[in-house]
């Protein structure tokens, strides 16, 4: 990595860590050279289901008026897409627009793959909560993407079985642990939930809620704090529950996990706002029996949640039509008709605050038809999302989590040791890439 890129990402990280808005943007959408002339054709890489139908609304409406046509190219999500974007960018052939998860933005920015579109997205900032908007600006004056969807975390539980076993919905993590133990005493073959290591985003969100800052900077160096006090607290909490057998240790999304939810062998799930879609498939026989509540807190009276998932729409530096692309990105994620279509076709929970209480989100999900205030509660929870602190190699940290915590959960061994492995793997990779890392 060049010195320029490294300094650029460190500067970005400083802004993220301090919440600064003093840094000047690197790159600008002014590179378009002014207003577009003639018809424009844009390509958009995305994994969201049904995005082609949403884009059709643009092409037949505002896009037709502005003579801007967008073509969707479906892609795989996660690290596969980021690698593909960076490979295409190195050849100067990245698409005009890309869907990017929030934690991937620092990596893309550090590689000069994303353009600053701040001057071309109008008043988009006013449509989003500050914490959400911060994830796409990285705390600078630049705007590297427009928020699309978010995944505020919450607690899901079988209301009927909580009543059967005489359990109270926990409001603190201490109560959560006591609830798990009480259930085991009353029904030894039943688990409150499971600790799963096959989706790193869950653990990251829990650490975020606890106040973790995995990547920060000190001077011109990165500091990796994956094993900070907040994350150690989360790791020790779950490791203790697994070791004593108070919760299960099996991974999510497997046939066995689906069966446990569907039969009432597991009666709760720490998840995010998108959980109804997963439960519809995993536990179809329990429709209407679940309820949702805010995530338990580390201290009584607190009101904060983590985030599990979420993505944005960004414009690449390779695009020859950055202003036009930015205009589409803003429309896609702020226009009422577009957001309703995204909810219907793609099943997303919008980042736009106004959309969270309108259109598709006036009535509860069909699976939660018994909880009329589902989306009202979800919108209030979303406002409490803790700030994020992402770095340039989230993919490495996530892979290390799956390996180290996967083994620890299976063997019911020390989660602190797994966390130390995750920390050392992440630091080693950053040094290998040429980043300066403070010890």
């Amino acid at each position: 990595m060049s010195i320029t890129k490294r300094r650029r990402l460190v500067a970005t990280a400083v802004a993220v860590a301090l919440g600064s808005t003093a840094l000047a943007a690197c790159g600008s959408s002014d590179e378009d050279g002014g207003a577009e002339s003639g018809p424009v054709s844009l390509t958009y890489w995305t994994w969201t289901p049904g995005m082609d139908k949403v884009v059709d609304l643009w092409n037949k409406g505002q896009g037709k008026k502005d003579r801007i046509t967008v073509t969707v190219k479906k892609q795989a999500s996660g690290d596969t897409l980021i690698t593909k974007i960076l490979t295409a960018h190195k050849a100067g052939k990245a698409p005009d627009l890309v869907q990017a998860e929030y934690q991937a933005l620092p990596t893309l920015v550090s590689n000069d793959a994303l353009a600053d579109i701040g001057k071309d997205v109008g008043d988009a900032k006013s449509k989003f909560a500050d914490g959400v908007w911060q994830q796409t600006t990285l705390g600078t004056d630049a705007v590297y993407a427009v928020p699309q969807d978010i995944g505020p975390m919450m607690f899901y539980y079988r209301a009927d079985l909580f009543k059967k076993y005489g359990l109270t919905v926990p409001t603190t993590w201490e109560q959560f642990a006591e609830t798990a133990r009480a259930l085991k005493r009353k029904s030894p073959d039943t688990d409150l939930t499971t600790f799963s290591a096959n989706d790193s985003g869950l653990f990251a969100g829990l650490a975020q809620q606890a106040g973790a800052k995995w990547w920060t900077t000190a001077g011109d160096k990165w500091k990796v704090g994956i094993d900070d006090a907040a994350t150690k607290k989360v790791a020790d909490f779950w490791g203790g529950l697994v070791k004593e057998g108070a919760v299960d240790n099996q991974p999510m999304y497997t046939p066995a996990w689906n069966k446990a939810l569907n039969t009432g062998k597991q009666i709760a799930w720490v998840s995010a706002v998108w959980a109804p879609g997963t439960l519809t498939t995993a536990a179809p026989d329990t429709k209407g029996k679940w309820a949702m509540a805010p995530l338990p807190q580390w201290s009584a009276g607190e009101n904060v949640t983590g985030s599990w998932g979420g993505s944005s729409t960004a414009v690449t530096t390779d695009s020859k039509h950055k202003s036009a692309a930015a205009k589409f990105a803003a429309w896609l994620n702020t226009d009422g008709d577009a957001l309703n279509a995204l909810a219907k076709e793609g099943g997303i929970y919008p980042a736009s605050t106004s959309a969270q209480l309108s259109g598709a989100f006036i009535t509860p999900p069909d699976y939660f038809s018994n909880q009329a205030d589902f989306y009202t509660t979800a919108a209030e929870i979303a406002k409490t999302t803790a700030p994020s602190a992402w770095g340039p190699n989230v993919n490495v940290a996530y892979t290390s989590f799956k390996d180290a915590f996967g083994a620890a959960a299976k063997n019911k061994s020390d989660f602190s040791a797994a966390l130390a492995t995750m920390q050392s793997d992440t630091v080693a990779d950053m040094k290998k890439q040429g980043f300066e890392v403070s010890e």
Side-chain angles (χ1 to χ4, degrees), residues 260-340:
L261 292 178
N262 201 37
T263 60
K265 188 180 184 302
Q266 279 187 29
I267 67 170
W269 184 27
V270 175
S271 189
V273 71
W274 42 259
T278 301
L279 290 171
T280 298
T281 301
D285 296 341
T286 61
K287 175 182 176 182
K289 297 180 179 180
W290 291 77
M292 177 268 285
L295 209 59
Q297 303 293 305
W298 284 104
S299 297
E302 287 184 345
N303 187 21
V304 62
T305 194
S307 182
W308 183 3
S311 64
S312 63
T313 309
V315 176
T316 72
T317 50
D318 291 342
S319 175
K320 293 180 173 58
H321 307 288
K322 297 181 183 64
S323 293
K327 188 171 186 177
F328 166 77
W331 171 88
L332 179 66
N333 300 305
T334 63
D335 180 82
D337 290 339
L339 291 167
N340 281 335

Side-chain angles (χ1 to χ4, degrees), residues 155-157 162 167 170 175-181 183-184 190-194 246-248 261 265-269 290:
F155 179 66
Y156 293 87
Y157 63 99
F162 262 57
L167 304 176
Q175 291 175 5
F176 179 93
E178 287 305 318
T179 300
R181 296 177 184 122
L183 177 61
K184 274 295 178 185
T190 306
D191 293 296
L192 180 63
T193 191
T194 188
V247 298
D248 197 9
L261 292 178
K265 188 180 184 302
Q266 279 187 29
I267 67 170
W269 184 27
W290 291 77

Side-chain angles (χ1 to χ4, degrees), residues 182-221:
L183 177 61
K184 274 295 178 185
R185 290 193 294 268
K186 297 178 179 182
S187 181
D189 293 331
T190 306
D191 293 296
L192 180 63
T193 191
T194 188
F195 178 85
S196 174
N198 66 347
D199 193 323
S200 314
L202 172 57
F203 184 73
L206 291 171
Q208 179 187 358
Q209 184 211 21
K213 296 288 187 290
W214 284 2
W215 285 270
T216 54
T217 57
D220 61 350
K221 295 182 179 180

Side-chain angles (χ1 to χ4, degrees), residues 48-120:
T48 299
M51 183 62 79
D52 52 338
K53 296 180 181 178
V54 182
V55 170
D56 278 346
L57 295 177
W58 165 268
N59 289 335
K60 294 175 181 178
Q62 189 64 43
K64 185 176 182 179
K65 177 181 177 182
D66 295 338
R67 298 204 295 171
I68 301 171
T69 301
V70 179
T71 300
V72 170
K73 298 290 186 182
K74 289 296 292 292
Q75 306 291 328
S77 60
D79 295 342
T80 301
L81 178 56
I82 299 305
T83 299
K84 187 172 181 179
I85 292 169
L86 293 177
T87 299
H89 171 61
K90 288 178 181 178
K93 296 181 179 180
D96 300 278
L97 295 132
V98 295
Q99 183 176 359
E101 293 175 295
Y102 298 116
Q103 68 266 24
L105 292 176
T107 299
L108 293 171
V109 169
S110 72
N111 283 278
D112 301 311
L114 300 186
D116 171 16
I117 56 175
K119 294 181 179 179
D120 296 305

Side-chain angles (χ1 to χ4, degrees), residues 203 229-243 298 405 414-417 419:
F203 184 73
T231 310
K232 284 181 179 178
K233 178 170 63 175
V234 176
D236 289 343
F237 175 80
W238 286 96
L241 291 179
V242 168
K243 188 173 184 178
W298 284 104
F405 277 82
D414 186 10
F415 276 26
S416 292
L419 188 63

Side-chain angles (χ1 to χ4, degrees), residues 21 23 50 58 76 229 247 267 287 312 320 348 362-363 383 388:
T21 57
L23 296 181
W58 165 268
V247 298
I267 67 170
K287 175 182 176 182
S312 63
K320 293 180 173 58
I348 73 156
I362 294 177
T363 57
K383 295 177 184 177
S388 61

